[in-house]
Amino acid sequence: MTHTTHEFDRFEDVRAALADPALVPERPAAADGPPGASVAWLRATVARFSHGEPHRRRRALVEAELARLAPESLRQAAAVVPGEDIRFTVVRTLAAALGMPRPAAVAEAVIAVAGVYFGGEDAAADEAVARLVRWPAAPTEVGPGSTEVGPGSTQVGPGCTSTEVGPDSTEVGPGCTSAEPVSTQDGPGSTQVAPSCPSHELVSTQVVPGTPSAGSEPTAEPVPVPFDAAPESAAGRIGLLVQACEATAALVETAAGNGRLPLSRVLRELPPVRTTRRVAAGATRVAGREIAEGDVVLLDLAAANRAHPVPLTFGAPPRICPGRAHALALADGLLRRPLTPFARLHRRAHPLLLPNAWDYASAAALAEQGFAAVGTTSLGVAASAGLPDGAAATAEATMSLARRLGRGRFLFTVDAEGGFSDDVAEVAALARALYEAGAAGINLEDGRPDGTLAPMELHAAKIAAVKQVAPALFVNARTDTHWASSHEDETATRLALYEQAGADGVFVPGLSDPAAIAELISALVVPLNILYAPGGPTLAELASLGVRRVSLGSLLYRRALAAAVTAATDIRDGRPTDPAAPSYAEVQALAYARQDRDPAAAPE
């Protein structure tokens, strides 16, 4: 029977096709090989080439197991070895993190398998599969500084490509890209192989930071373990490593060849996978076109990305790869781009809880209580000066406060509204002055006093200009889409543009729905900041969703005002008052003493 090939390159059409459960990755034509002893068997057993119930079952195995693998541990473990093939480095690092003995030997076997994973036959690759199936992945103790991913986490292995396939299923595997085995040139000297995401189950493992590098592995031969009744577990483990070998390595090579480009821009402009291929498991309809069962669908991801800020590659929605965070962390670790002490606070196991101060004493008091960093509140600064917030009226007051905070020995970031100007050069000059005053970060918002939003291209230009003049200043790009009426559907687009412009983090005040938070995080490369709301998710719940920073905004200032008014009226009206308050001497000490803690020694 002759089948039709359909090609799509418009963003809306490609996204619709990726979301269609009837369109599934095409499995290379080949007979199933002997269980546990061939690449054909592997392709028949991983989730990458399956759909429906088998896919959901295989994906569930890997999701449950890889929830134990903390992305930050992979970032810390990653180290480039001069002269070593980047694919070898990626697989060796991941294999060591999984507790597999002799990770270098594992990497050699995985590279052999990867050569024919998407099609073809090779006796050496079949032998490599048989060795990997029997290779133990023993549980290991968690080392110093390692972290666990909490309940509800959906993080999965590094390097995975967008896969899926079947109703209700989503992408699996590390560093996922929606992928087809199409070899492309994406960066100077790099040949990308479009990987497709495997569902991977791993046997019980935990990450040990500082995993062995080449030359530090045990010399003893691994103890073979007989192939058991869990073929999907073994296949999933191999699929995970194969996917990391191709997708994560391709991302690292492309990013390394493009200097200071943010990873988010690399994924949009130079995606490791430029096209992907699907086959119709049943009749369906995409963009008004009838697609019969068995028809082939070719999706031009690169063209779709050029027309829309939100990339459709590397495990992004609509087919979310739970391993995306791991792949990005591993890639980031191998790229070794420098992080400031303040930026590192956004990479810890638990979110940075950022209290917001309105003067020197409140900032110093918070730092004295052990908060790793302090923000300012634009409302508190404006109200203290008798000025309106959000009206670009407090540039001088904000700058004066930053200079005072710069006397202290604590990390602080400044809420600068929209930069107090729509002149990009003026915003950049302000940011440079804040950095020179000692600020570790700046908060820039796109909301305006009349409730409208600034053009997203203008806000992106401000971010890019700030990073140009003060590269070490952490830019937290805020969008007020959830505070401005009827703009919620712009959130993902705005955040994508802002992170591609160079933002180090993004902020969505007013967003509290857990499902919406999780969906945003699945598409982001940089950390997400959420404004704490007393009636919203708890800090622990936000952490489980993957939020990396939680701001208190003006809450403390408003509570302080309420406490002051309550104390005064209680005394006036003869009611008992709470005597708890810092003494005169304690406040004096806070106001004039330099803090002992050095910001450069901020906790990891």
Side-chain angles (χ1 to χ4, degrees):
M1 179 179 177
T2 302
H3 296 292
T4 303
T5 296
H6 308 266
E7 299 184 18
F8 297 98
D9 61 6
R10 293 178 63 249
F11 178 87
E12 296 79 6
D13 299 343
V14 172
R15 182 178 172 86
L18 288 172
D20 192 328
L23 300 179
V24 303
E26 186 176 30
R27 180 175 153 193
D32 295 351
S38 70
V39 176
W41 164 83
L42 179 65
R43 291 193 292 250
T45 312
V46 294
R48 168 62 182 88
F49 301 112
S50 63
H51 58 93
E53 175 55 32
H55 176 86
R56 288 191 290 274
R57 181 180 66 251
R58 293 163 184 175
R59 177 185 170 93
L61 290 171
V62 68
E63 286 180 327
E65 193 55 49
L66 287 187
R68 306 182 187 188
L69 206 86
E72 184 56 26
S73 294
L74 283 174
R75 188 194 312 275
Q76 294 176 14
V80 172
V81 175
E84 187 173 87
D85 183 332
I86 193 64
R87 296 179 305 160
F88 187 93
T89 304
V90 166
V91 179
R92 174 176 53 74
T93 303
L94 181 56
L98 298 177
M100 301 181 74
R102 296 187 64 208
V106 172
E108 290 174 356
V110 167
I111 289 172
V113 174
V116 291
Y117 186 65
F118 294 100
E121 298 179 15
D122 180 67
D126 290 342
E127 292 173 4
V129 168
R131 290 199 305 275
L132 288 166
V133 163
R134 290 160 175 78
W135 217 296
T140 57
E141 294 298 322
V142 178
S146 70
T147 55
E148 303 271 350
V149 175
S153 162
T154 55
Q155 316 297 5
V156 185
C160 138
T161 68
S162 206
T163 106
E164 186 298 328
V165 244
D168 304 322
S169 68
T170 50
E171 316 305 349
V172 181
C176 222
T177 57
S178 240
E180 225 342 76
V182 179
S183 189
T184 61
Q185 281 297 122
D186 283 291
S190 71
T191 302
Q192 318 297 356
V193 178
S196 286
C197 179
S199 183
H200 341 69
E201 199 275 351
L202 304 165
V203 286
S204 181
T205 60
Q206 292 176 328
V207 175
V208 180
T211 48
S213 57
S216 64
E217 301 137 10
T219 55
E221 289 293 322
V223 179
V225 294
F227 181 70
D228 57 22
E232 289 176 345
S233 296
R237 182 166 61 249
I238 301 167
L240 166 64
L241 295 167
V242 169
Q243 195 54 58
C245 175
E246 299 295 353
T248 305
L251 177 60
V252 172
E253 288 180 332
T254 304
N258 286 275
R260 291 174 54 188
L261 271 188
L263 276 179
S264 53
R265 278 190 62 189
V266 173
L267 291 177
R268 180 188 178 193
E269 298 174 8
L270 301 166
V273 177
R274 304 185 68 83
T275 62
T276 189
R277 182 183 177 97
R278 295 284 193 258
V279 65
T284 188
R285 184 182 179 89
V286 175
R289 193 181 306 180
E290 298 294 337
I291 298 175
E293 181 177 351
D295 283 359
V296 172
V297 174
L298 297 179
L299 304 176
D300 189 334
L301 303 174
N305 284 351
R306 285 194 295 271
H308 197 279
V310 181
L312 293 170
T313 55
F314 218 72
R319 291 187 173 179
I320 301 168
C321 170
R324 176 184 168 95
H326 284 73
L328 292 172
L330 181 53
D332 201 39
L334 290 170
L335 290 168
R336 282 291 180 244
R337 293 176 174 177
L339 288 176
T340 65
F342 185 63
R344 286 199 295 272
L345 294 175
H346 298 71
R347 307 288 184 178
R348 301 181 302 177
H350 302 289
L352 167 65
L353 179 60
L354 190 75
N356 299 77
W358 54 93
D359 59 13
Y360 185 91
S362 58
L366 291 164
E368 185 76 8
Q369 290 302 311
F371 286 95
V374 178
T376 66
T377 161
S378 62
L379 174 64
V381 173
S384 297
L387 296 170
D389 182 30
T394 57
E396 183 178 343
T398 298
M399 194 69 239
S400 296
L401 175 57
R403 293 192 182 100
R404 291 194 295 274
L405 295 179
R407 302 197 325 258
R409 295 180 66 84
F410 46 80
L411 293 168
F412 70 95
T413 181
V414 175
D415 183 349
E417 299 183 7
F420 306 116
S421 174
D422 277 345
D423 184 305
V424 171
E426 289 181 3
V427 175
L430 169 75
R432 179 69 188 179
L434 289 171
Y435 178 68
E436 290 173 348
I442 185 174
N443 200 74
L444 289 175
E445 64 195 52
D446 60 12
R448 288 181 158 165
D450 61 1
T452 63
L453 299 178
M456 59 185 80
E457 295 80 9
L458 172 61
H459 201 62
K462 291 181 183 181
I463 293 163
V466 169
K467 294 303 292 184
Q468 183 68 32
V469 301
L473 188 68
F474 189 102
V475 176
N476 195 42
R478 168 177 149 179
T479 184
D480 286 350
T481 52
H482 281 256
W483 278 354
S485 59
S486 304
H487 286 281
E488 289 89 346
D489 59 351
E490 294 180 19
T491 304
T493 298
R494 285 179 174 267
L495 295 187
L497 270 179
Y498 300 165
E499 67 174 357
Q500 289 160 25
D504 301 286
V506 291
F507 183 20
V508 189
L511 175 62
S512 60
D513 177 63
I517 291 172
E519 183 177 0
L520 272 185
I521 289 172
S522 70
L524 290 170
V525 174
V526 301
L528 176 64
N529 182 185
I530 291 294
L531 181 67
Y532 173 79
T538 65
L539 191 61
E541 289 168 341
L542 291 171
S544 72
L545 293 170
V547 173
R548 305 296 353 125
R549 171 166 153 180
V550 179
S551 296
L552 298 184
S554 63
L555 177 63
L556 301 185
Y557 178 72
R558 291 182 284 111
R559 288 278 182 91
L561 283 180
V565 170
T566 297
T569 55
D570 283 347
I571 293 169
R572 182 194 64 190
D573 299 336
R575 290 189 295 268
T577 61
D578 183 356
S583 69
Y584 179 91
E586 288 170 335
V587 174
Q588 280 283 76
L590 283 173
Y592 293 104
R594 291 176 63 85
Q595 301 297 301
D596 294 330
R597 188 165 61 82
D598 186 345
E604 295 290 334

